[in-house]
Amino acid sequence: MEEKLDIQKLRAATQDASGGIVYLVGAGPGDPDLLTLRAANLLATADVVVYDNLVSDGILKLINLGAEKIYAGKEKNNHSMSQVDISHLLVILAKKGNKVVRLKGGDPFIFGRGGEELETLIEYSVDYEVVPGITAANGISCYTGIPLTHRDYAQSCLFITGHLKDGTLDLDWPALARRNQTLVIYMGLGAIGEISKKLIQHGLPATTPSAIIENGATSKQRISTDTLARLPESAKLLNFISPSLIIIGQVVALHEKLNWLKDQIQIEKINGCQLKEVV
Ligand SMILES: C[S@@+](CC[C@H](N)C(=O)[O-])C[C@H]1O[C@@H](n2cnc3c(N)ncnc32)[C@H](O)[C@@H]1O
């Protein structure tokens, strides 16, 4: 008979002598209702919480009053602590016997550098546990009525980083420009012009439905849908800022039909660019 994994037993067996432990926790896109119960329980009992800028105020309010809160930053071009410093801080806090929650926006293993932090914890023999979070792609897909897959329009979905390295984007453009797939681009706002141009150059129709969503799945959500060719212009005219997610593919056309966020209305139409905000 298959033996059931006793996670409590496993935890007890793997804890080091100090009793300190780091919980790498995903906070989801921002709405506290989208937090896992496990994450909420850990915030209620942590000794220290080390959090990033993408973690919303609503979620920070769930941290117990006795816990020390440490802001680790990570805004674009304004890292208040380096990645190495953050990893070492986690080690020091755990070695002092603390129950540390390392709280990250979305899911810690999706463009969250969670893997790097765990590698340092392993190096220093610090116990850890990972708690998944709803990544921006999932949360925003559901809150905008844009299914990431659909039997008729998209049989696959790719999560991509649009973060520029040395000023360029080194992506597999022929693979990205395939039809019948959805592209979800994280950190793509700064490179939106290049993304649109390269995808069209590699064969994706300029008319492909595309969306840009700012502060998705939160009460500040803004969304603009347009063609792939016009998306950079929309983003500029409507002043989209970080955090924004880009979704490209036929599934975006379903937004008009499936969008259920009734508080969201069209508030602006500038040069043909449509913007919807939650009011
Ligand atoms: C460093 S990545 C972190 C991703 C995170 N680990 C996740 O799973 O969602 C930050 C990028 O995620 C996207 N993002 C995260 N939360 C978002 C939100 N609420 N609305 C729009 N985009 C978001 C943006 O593209 C942002 O630049």
Side-chain angles (χ1 to χ4, degrees):
M1 207 176 72
E2 200 183 318
E3 207 181 320
K4 233 177 127 207
L5 180 69
D6 186 336
I7 200 109
Q8 297 295 349
K9 226 176 183 176
L10 195 69
R11 253 179 232 140
T14 52
Q15 279 200 347
D16 80 8
S18 70
I21 181 164
V22 174
Y23 296 92
L24 182 61
V25 177
D31 181 347
D33 281 352
L34 296 183
L35 211 55
T36 61
L37 287 175
R38 177 89 187 121
N41 286 337
L42 287 169
L43 293 180
T45 53
D47 298 315
V48 189
V49 179
V50 181
Y51 65 98
D52 283 349
N53 73 305
L54 275 180
V55 177
S56 70
D57 290 344
I59 287 172
L60 294 178
K61 280 190 190 138
L62 299 178
I63 299 173
N64 72 83
L65 292 178
E68 183 185 354
K69 288 187 236 170
I70 301 175
Y71 176 61
K74 292 260 200 78
E75 282 144 279
K76 196 169 176 248
N77 305 329
N78 181 22
H79 284 208
S80 35
M81 280 175 84
S82 73
Q83 186 59 55
V84 173
D85 286 347
I86 295 170
S87 298
H88 286 159
L89 173 70
L90 297 176
V91 172
I92 292 164
L93 291 169
K95 289 285 180 193
K96 285 183 180 165
N98 288 302
K99 180 173 171 179
V100 184
V101 168
R102 171 68 175 119
L103 194 58
K104 286 173 170 283
D107 182 274
F109 278 179
I110 296 186
F111 303 125
R113 304 187 75 169
E116 290 167 55
E117 292 180 12
L118 293 193
E119 278 169 348
T120 309
L121 298 182
I122 290 169
E123 206 180 310
Y124 289 91
S125 305
V126 171
D127 294 325
Y128 64 84
E129 191 183 305
V130 187
V131 180
I134 294 180
T135 188
N138 291 89
I140 290 168
S141 151
C142 292
Y143 272 55
T144 55
I146 301 176
L148 295 181
T149 64
H150 187 290
R151 273 160 61 113
D152 297 332
Y153 309 116
Q155 285 73 50
S156 60
C157 171
L158 300 182
F159 291 0
I160 303 143
T161 170
H163 187 65
L164 296 169
K165 213 173 177 189
D166 308 324
T168 56
L169 259 185
D170 188 17
L171 296 172
D172 184 354
W173 296 108
L176 299 190
R178 284 194 196 115
R179 314 249 175 148
N180 300 320
Q181 73 181 355
T182 306
L183 304 177
V184 182
I185 304 166
Y186 289 70
M187 296 168 278
L189 198 55
I192 194 166
E194 194 178 346
I195 291 168
S196 161
K197 194 173 85 191
K198 283 267 171 49
L199 288 173
I200 294 168
Q201 269 173 8
H202 284 82
L204 208 57
T207 52
T208 305
S210 304
I212 176 156
I213 307 104
E214 178 188 299
N215 279 307
T218 74
S219 56
K220 293 184 284 179
Q221 176 170 296
R222 299 167 84 219
I223 175 168
S224 177
T225 53
D226 215 320
T227 63
L228 176 58
R230 286 174 42 95
L231 197 65
E233 180 74 354
S234 289
K236 205 166 144 199
L237 279 171
L238 301 170
N239 293 316
F240 272 82
I241 55 164
S242 188
S244 285
L245 194 79
I246 299 165
I247 306 182
I248 298 169
Q250 293 302 326
V251 288
V252 173
L254 292 165
H255 164 71
E256 284 309 321
K257 193 172 171 187
L258 304 184
N259 176 35
W260 53 268
L261 214 56
K262 301 294 178 228
D263 294 344
Q264 186 180 253
I265 57 156
Q266 185 173 309
I267 61 155
E268 257 181 281
K269 196 166 181 169
I270 308 173
N271 287 358
C273 304
Q274 293 183 18
L275 172 70
K276 286 184 193 159
E277 278 189 8
V278 178
V279 289

